[in-house]
Amino acid sequence: MRAADGPDEIHAAMRYALTGGKRLRGFLVLESARLHGVSAGAPVEAAAATEALHAYSLVHDDLPCMDDDDLRRGRPTVHVKWDEATAVLVGDALQTLAFGLLADPVCHPDAGVRCRLIAGLAEASGARGMVLGQAQDIAAETAETPLALDGIEALQANKTGALIVWSATAGAHLADADPDPMRRYADALGRAFQIADDILDVEGTAEEVGKAVGKDQGAGKATFVSLLGLDGAKARARDLVEEACAALDPFGSDAETLRHCARFVVSRDR
Amino acid sequence: MRAADGPDEIHAAMRYALTGGKRLRGFLVLESARLHGVSAGAPVEAAAATEALHAYSLVHDDLPCMDDDDLRRGRPTVHVKWDEATAVLVGDALQTLAFGLLADPVCHPDAGVRCRLIAGLAEASGARGMVLGQAQDIAAETAETPLALDGIEALQANKTGALIVWSATAGAHLADADPDPMRRYADALGRAFQIADDILDVEGTAEEVGKAVGKDQGAGKATFVSLLGLDGAKARARDLVEEACAALDPFGSDAETLRHCARFVVSRDR
């Protein structure tokens, strides 16, 4: 397909980038909002914002100058289906969209709450969060010595952990409640999620996972699997799921869906 | 220089991208704030936000897959000095920084004002603003028939006009005043600015202007100069400066600096 040649094409490519995926981050917003008694419908903007921000990061990370991936969510990546310029612009516009959604009064009537969500998202996604994590990841690929466990954990906390924490604490912020239990849940969940990703990179097929697999191993890159072994990584992921579930104790049986989510994250096949 | 290899290098590349330039947009924030009685110091976050957003757009527009420029503000572009991955990440982080600065209570004590600024910036920079303008600009380069005058005006209103209007109205928003006079000033100023840019592309040297010149002519691209002629473009720019100055009438002699700014925009050599 040829380059995006105007507004319609850019919007079409944005919708394409937003389609598919597990929508884990959006689910975490909706479910944490429900858990905190935020009425249905109210958290939709925040859920859409985290999915838009996540989609932007995938489109840019997949670029030839970054991870150079052709397959995402089982379909050609944006720069393959359109071109690189479109992929840069689509990512840029999706990031803008995320902040625009949160600034809208429809997101929450209290502008103070909206600003806290926006400040938190900027913290999670910027040069001290997701962008830093991606820079560390690229640097690790060309480094002479592979990262040790604490280096990988710090990298992943930035690259994927911060946005997962933002998503899971959004419901507490929308309800003006203490975000701490959800923060502990999401921190453990994010770490389990990344270990499961490393396991899928070894055990999954591109068809199941919807993106290229075996890349880390091929590149001789340190991962949770290369450092802990397959069994060790699986045991660590299970421990983290228990930690995530325990953090939900204050919510009792109300949090059962989020506990299911944590168990799903390590048992998923994509 | 090699790739940005971690946090320090990403931050260094962000500072590099923020250095130099005319800082027209930041100046417009500060001066419109002063004109509306906003106390000194208060509008600094908003001024920094518009400069960060503008710098992000330059870094991404200069990428090989976009306008492919090696020179910006008289120095090598970010992807030349570092690499493409760093340029993508630096642009991404600068956009995040812009929204983060506006969400901070230091920007303005009233969260409602901050949210209005954020929503306006998202509108000006997203898929219905700056990103759309850049997509239209790329599409125009490969189109079979060059754009007519109204097509170029619409494109430029999105690509550069919207952020100039946001910057000039920010002071009114910070003061909770009517943004309309500043909007009319900035609309004419932005159009004059773009015509002056087209004139510099023909009359300037890369050394003076600090970026490549003659590109549009070489590409057979429709510009204000190709459509109106050099004299016609200069006359149109002068008319727009008069229009910009007239919009400032309600402020009397207090707005003299902004009138100087409008005259500078069409007489500048870079």
Side-chain angles (χ1 to χ4, degrees), chain B:
Chain B
M1 194 178 287
R2 64 198 206 75
D5 60 355
D8 294 346
E9 213 47 31
I10 285 287
H11 294 155
M14 287 172 74
R15 276 192 297 274
Y16 180 87
L18 283 167
T19 305
K22 292 174 289 296
R23 301 189 184 276
L24 171 66
R25 293 156 189 80
F27 168 83
L28 288 173
V29 171
L30 298 179
E31 193 55 27
S32 78
R34 190 196 61 74
L35 196 60
H36 288 85
V38 178
S39 62
V44 169
E45 274 70 28
T50 188
E51 287 296 330
L53 199 97
H54 178 54
Y56 125 64
S57 76
L58 298 180
V59 172
H60 280 190
D61 285 1
D62 287 339
L63 282 167
C65 67
M66 302 267 257
D67 300 343
D68 194 14
D69 277 307
D70 293 345
L71 192 66
R72 170 68 68 182
R73 294 172 170 174
R75 301 191 303 168
T77 45
V78 173
H79 68 269
V80 168
K81 195 166 167 68
W82 281 270
D83 56 18
E84 285 182 51
T86 303
V88 172
L89 289 172
V90 159
D92 290 345
L94 286 170
Q95 177 173 185
T96 311
L97 179 64
F99 288 107
L101 283 164
L102 295 176
D104 195 300
V106 178
C107 170
H108 194 281
D110 181 343
V113 169
R114 302 202 300 277
C115 276
R116 276 196 293 284
L117 287 172
I118 292 166
L121 191 68
E123 188 76 21
S125 67
R128 293 178 201 285
M130 208 170 67
V131 165
L132 173 57
Q134 175 67 2
Q136 291 172 320
D137 203 11
I138 292 174
E141 276 166 29
T142 52
E144 283 174 27
T145 37
L147 286 179
L149 200 56
D150 59 347
I152 295 186
E153 285 191 333
L155 181 167
Q156 294 298 351
N158 292 326
K159 185 170 171 171
T160 58
L163 187 58
I164 288 177
V165 169
W166 184 91
S167 305
T169 54
H173 287 299
L174 287 167
D176 219 355
D178 175 17
D180 210 51
M182 290 306 295
R183 189 186 313 277
R184 282 183 288 118
Y185 163 77
D187 180 60
L189 178 78
R191 291 156 74 193
F193 183 88
Q194 194 51 50
I195 295 175
D197 230 41
D198 284 356
I199 294 170
L200 278 173
D201 190 63
V202 174
E203 290 195 328
T205 65
E207 198 175 28
E208 285 166 355
V209 184
K211 61 181 178 183
V213 295
K215 283 188 78 176
D216 294 340
Q217 216 173 0
K221 196 169 151 187
T223 69
F224 289 106
V225 174
S226 76
L227 288 166
L228 301 171
L230 203 47
D231 288 344
K234 286 181 181 176
R236 180 97 186 93
R238 280 193 302 271
D239 287 350
L240 284 165
V241 168
E242 289 316 305
E243 199 180 316
C245 290
L248 298 171
D249 283 352
F251 302 106
S253 61
D254 259 7
E256 206 46 49
T257 312
L258 285 172
R259 290 189 193 95
H260 279 303
C261 171
R263 289 181 204 112
F264 159 76
V265 153
V266 298
S267 64
R268 69 201 162 100
D269 58 7
R270 65 188 179 101

Side-chain angles (χ1 to χ4, degrees), chain A residues 178-193:
Chain A
D178 175 17
D180 210 51
M182 291 305 296
R183 189 186 314 277
R184 282 182 290 119
Y185 163 78
D187 180 60
L189 178 78
R191 291 157 73 194
F193 183 88

Side-chain angles (χ1 to χ4, degrees), chain A residues 98-219:
Chain A
F99 288 106
L101 283 164
L102 295 176
D104 195 299
V106 178
C107 171
H108 194 280
D110 182 343
V113 169
R114 301 201 300 277
C115 276
R116 275 197 293 282
L117 287 172
I118 292 166
L121 191 68
E123 188 75 21
S125 67
R128 294 178 201 286
M130 209 171 66
V131 165
L132 173 58
Q134 175 66 3
Q136 290 172 321
D137 203 12
I138 292 174
E141 276 166 29
T142 52
E144 284 174 27
T145 37
L147 286 178
L149 201 57
D150 59 347
I152 295 186
E153 286 193 331
L155 181 169
Q156 295 297 351
N158 293 325
K159 184 170 171 172
T160 58
L163 187 57
I164 288 177
V165 169
W166 184 91
S167 305
T169 54
H173 287 299
L174 287 168
D176 219 356
D178 175 17
D180 210 51
M182 291 305 296
R183 189 186 314 277
R184 282 182 290 119
Y185 163 78
D187 180 60
L189 178 78
R191 291 157 73 194
F193 183 88
Q194 195 51 49
I195 295 175
D197 231 41
D198 284 356
I199 294 170
L200 278 173
D201 190 63
V202 174
E203 291 194 328
T205 66
E207 198 174 27
E208 286 166 354
V209 185
K211 61 182 179 183
V213 295
K215 283 188 76 176
D216 294 340
Q217 215 172 1

